[in-house]
Amino acid sequence: MTRRPGRAGPAGPAGRARSTRSKGMNAGRTGLIAIGASVLGTFAVAVAGPSVMEPVLPGRPGQPPWSLGLHPSPYLVVPLTAAGLAAGTLGLVLVLRAIRRGWSVTARAILIAGLLAAAALTLVPPFGSSDHLSYAAYGRMLVTGHNPYTTTPAQLAALGDPVARAVQDWSGSPSVYGPLATGIQALASLAGGTSVRLTVFVLGLANLIAFGVTALLLHRMTRDSPARQLRAALLWAANPLLLQVLVAGAHVDSQAVVFGVAAVWCVRDVSPGPGWRRMAAAGALVGLGFGVKVTVALVGVGLAIWLVLVMGREWRRLVGLLAALGAGFGVTAGVAVVIGGSAMLRQSSRASDMVSIGSPWRVIRTIIQLVVTGGTASDIVKFGAIALAVVLAVLIIYGLPGILPGRDPDAGALGGPSYAAAGVAFALVLAWLFAWPYVLPWYDALGWALLPLIPMVSDPVVDGIGWLLLARTAALGFGYLPARATDVTMPPGLTWLQPVIRHGVTPAVLAAATVWLVVLMVRSGRRRGNPNDPPAPGNITDPRTVATKVAGGG
């Protein structure tokens, strides 16, 4: 077949570009449809009312959150929840790939759509776990004069308290959350009184505010690039996995994440480094996050490591900035420790010894127990997890683009100090997520919040990390269908879910993701460590890629 002279056919550069854009447009639209279907499925499960996925909320009729009270069959809600996860995972894959191909949509539209979806999910009852019932009980303890760190919901229920009687899976456990979280729970208890339903709704509003503020911060921090801003909206505000496991689950993690992101925001737009006031503010915000969940302290450690990396031999300035960061953290976190007392620290320590069913460490601990007795196996697992977390953190910091000074000469064009700081904080958080023995799907929220802030380049390692985090969250979401045991009786046709998915598939996926993360980081570190190597396709050292990034490309 011949072509007219002077016209590029479909096989020419122009034709290939049009074909790529067309494929990207189709994939982007299909992905958005899949994300919308996922959110609708999540909303349908919640609004249907109590089921194996959704615990009962005692309270006066007509109080929010509202449901239809249909008491749907497990054969409906479990597959519908799984379908929501599957559609959401597929939607994210399609949309993110479409963005790489040049497809785009207004970031503000995605942001608003995500926040509206989060608000809608707050108006209906939480599902997926029964943690929100425990939150209500901890707030009730404080209001009624009991110490949440030494009192269990079961003990309060024995005194006839109606809120504590509603607690299911964690009725024998005191609170493991910080005083700030407990204070918010107490405010919700004051508003809700003896109504579990109304108390849970107020807690949901607090989570929604934190989720929304995080989304707005990410939108603001990525304003230098429309593509990065769109990606931030998709990875957080409109992320269908987070909308299901975090927002629809009404988990307190939203309140912790917002302080971690705000701390990174404090070190924005400053060169060569932030002043002591901003570092003190960042430390104070990390301390407030610590007052919700202690793991947010990883962000503070990341900022400290980043200071050491960027300040080099400027020892006097380095010491001053580290002191400011530590002082800010010490004030707020110190107040939290004083309020919570030794009982809070003791409960947090006990929680760190737990190994969840979906973790690969559960299998490893079982094997170790064949050789040793007592609590030795748990100690070995704990120390092994710490060692793995350290190794992963080093590999990720070494392998991520734009983090280590001098290894990526064009990294400065990609966003400034806050992106490098976020990259180090993200490295520590990701290392903790992949290494720690106790894993639940909503724990990944902190990683998803920081992912849009790392130096974003057309680099295989950045894409790879995103896909690994997506696979991890999806695997945990499927593994914990549902993440509750009390008052749950699965029908014979669904009893295979826990032994097959939670005990088998989920740990296998998490183990494989961890191994691949190590391989990915080692390869990336070797490539960046050898400046004589030719740049990989799309690598930051490729001049064409740098030119595209500086011009505002995806």
Side-chain angles (χ1 to χ4, degrees):
M1 180 177 178
T2 59
R3 301 187 181 94
R4 294 176 59 184
R7 295 186 62 181
R16 286 194 298 269
R18 285 194 299 270
S19 176
T20 300
R21 286 195 296 268
S22 178
K23 290 180 180 179
M25 183 178 297
N26 292 334
R29 290 174 177 174
T30 304
L32 289 181
I33 292 173
I35 289 174
S38 172
V39 175
L40 287 176
T42 298
F43 184 83
V45 173
V47 78
S51 64
V52 295
M53 293 297 302
E54 181 179 309
V56 176
L57 289 180
R60 290 188 296 275
Q63 289 181 332
W66 298 283
S67 72
L68 299 176
L70 300 178
H71 296 274
S73 165
Y75 288 111
L76 174 62
V77 294
V78 173
L80 188 55
T81 305
L85 280 172
T89 302
L90 175 62
L92 274 181
V93 170
L94 291 175
V95 171
L96 292 175
R97 287 178 64 88
I99 293 174
R100 285 297 193 197
R101 292 175 175 174
W103 174 82
S104 184
V105 67
T106 305
R108 185 174 298 177
I110 299 298
L111 172 68
I112 293 174
L115 293 180
L116 288 176
L121 292 171
T122 305
L123 297 176
V124 291
F127 76 92
S129 78
S130 63
D131 286 3
H132 50 280
L133 301 177
S134 298
Y135 303 157
Y138 298 143
R140 180 71 174 170
M141 290 175 190
L142 196 59
V143 169
T144 56
H146 297 83
N147 187 341
Y149 302 112
T150 57
T151 307
T152 67
Q155 291 172 331
L156 188 61
L159 300 177
D161 188 87
V163 176
R165 283 203 301 263
V167 176
Q168 295 184 358
D169 295 316
W170 299 100
S171 61
S173 301
S175 176
V176 296
Y177 306 104
L180 180 55
T182 305
I184 295 172
Q185 292 159 5
L187 291 175
S189 182
L190 287 174
T194 58
S195 172
V196 178
R197 177 176 292 273
L198 190 55
T199 302
V200 167
F201 177 68
V202 177
L203 287 172
L205 291 178
N207 293 336
L208 176 63
I209 293 171
F211 184 84
V213 172
T214 301
L216 294 175
L217 282 173
L218 293 175
H219 187 74
R220 176 75 174 173
M221 294 173 70
T222 54
R223 66 188 184 277
D224 62 308
S225 167
R228 184 183 285 130
Q229 201 169 51
L230 172 59
R231 190 169 176 273
L234 285 166
L235 293 180
W236 181 260
N239 187 328
L241 275 67
L242 291 182
L243 288 172
Q244 182 177 120
V245 302
L246 179 68
V247 178
H251 290 286
V252 72
D253 300 68
S254 295
Q255 299 172 28
V257 168
V258 67
F259 291 111
V261 173
V264 176
W265 178 73
C266 280
V267 299
R268 71 199 184 283
D269 302 331
V270 182
S271 182
W276 67 268
R277 291 185 180 87
R278 286 191 175 180
M279 290 310 302
L285 287 166
V286 173
L288 289 173
F290 176 88
V292 178
K293 291 192 73 171
V294 297
T295 50
V296 180
L298 289 170
V299 175
V301 177
L303 294 180
I305 294 175
W306 167 70
L307 282 175
V308 173
L309 293 176
V310 299
M311 295 306 298
R313 297 183 179 181
E314 298 181 46
W315 299 112
R316 183 173 300 178
R317 181 168 169 77
L318 173 62
V319 171
L321 294 176
L322 286 175
L325 178 68
F329 175 79
V331 169
T332 51
V335 171
V337 171
V338 169
I339 294 175
S342 60
M344 181 195 76
L345 298 177
R346 186 164 55 250
Q347 291 304 318
S348 297
S349 177
R350 289 177 179 175
S352 67
D353 294 331
M354 299 171 64
V355 180
S356 58
I357 297 175
S359 170
W361 286 107
R362 175 63 68 98
V363 179
I364 296 173
R365 189 179 68 174
T366 301
I367 296 174
I368 295 174
Q369 286 175 336
L370 298 176
V371 181
V372 301
T373 58
T376 306
S378 296
D379 293 337
I380 293 175
V381 165
K382 186 174 182 178
F383 287 119
I386 294 173
L388 177 60
V390 172
V391 171
L392 287 177
V394 172
L395 289 176
I396 297 169
I397 292 173
Y398 193 71
L400 275 178
I403 301 301
L404 294 179
R407 302 186 73 237
D408 288 309
D410 298 295
L414 300 177
S418 63
Y419 292 95
V424 180
F426 174 76
L428 267 66
V429 169
L430 195 70
W432 163 67
L433 290 175
F434 275 76
W436 210 244
Y438 195 77
V439 290
L440 290 169
W442 46 91
Y443 287 8
D444 289 2
L446 186 55
W448 282 110
L450 295 176
L451 179 59
L453 298 180
I454 65 174
M456 203 46 231
V457 293
S458 297
D459 192 292
V461 67
V462 179
D463 278 342
I465 288 176
W467 301 134
L468 288 175
L469 186 58
L470 179 60
R472 171 193 161 84
T473 307
L476 286 169
F478 283 112
Y480 285 92
L481 288 173
R484 49 189 299 249
T486 305
D487 294 341
V488 173
T489 302
M490 299 293 278
L494 296 176
T495 53
W496 58 272
L497 284 172
Q498 187 173 39
V500 174
I501 305 299
R502 190 179 304 179
H503 289 256
V505 176
T506 298
V509 172
L510 265 59
T514 303
V515 172
W516 187 245
L517 178 63
V518 172
V519 173
L520 186 67
M521 292 298 102
V522 169
R523 288 179 177 177
S524 178
R526 286 176 178 174
R527 189 175 71 243
R528 289 192 166 79
N530 187 355
N532 296 321
D533 283 349
N539 191 5
I540 186 173
T541 55
D542 186 340
R544 294 167 298 176
T545 300
V546 173
T548 301
K549 303 311 297 181
V550 175

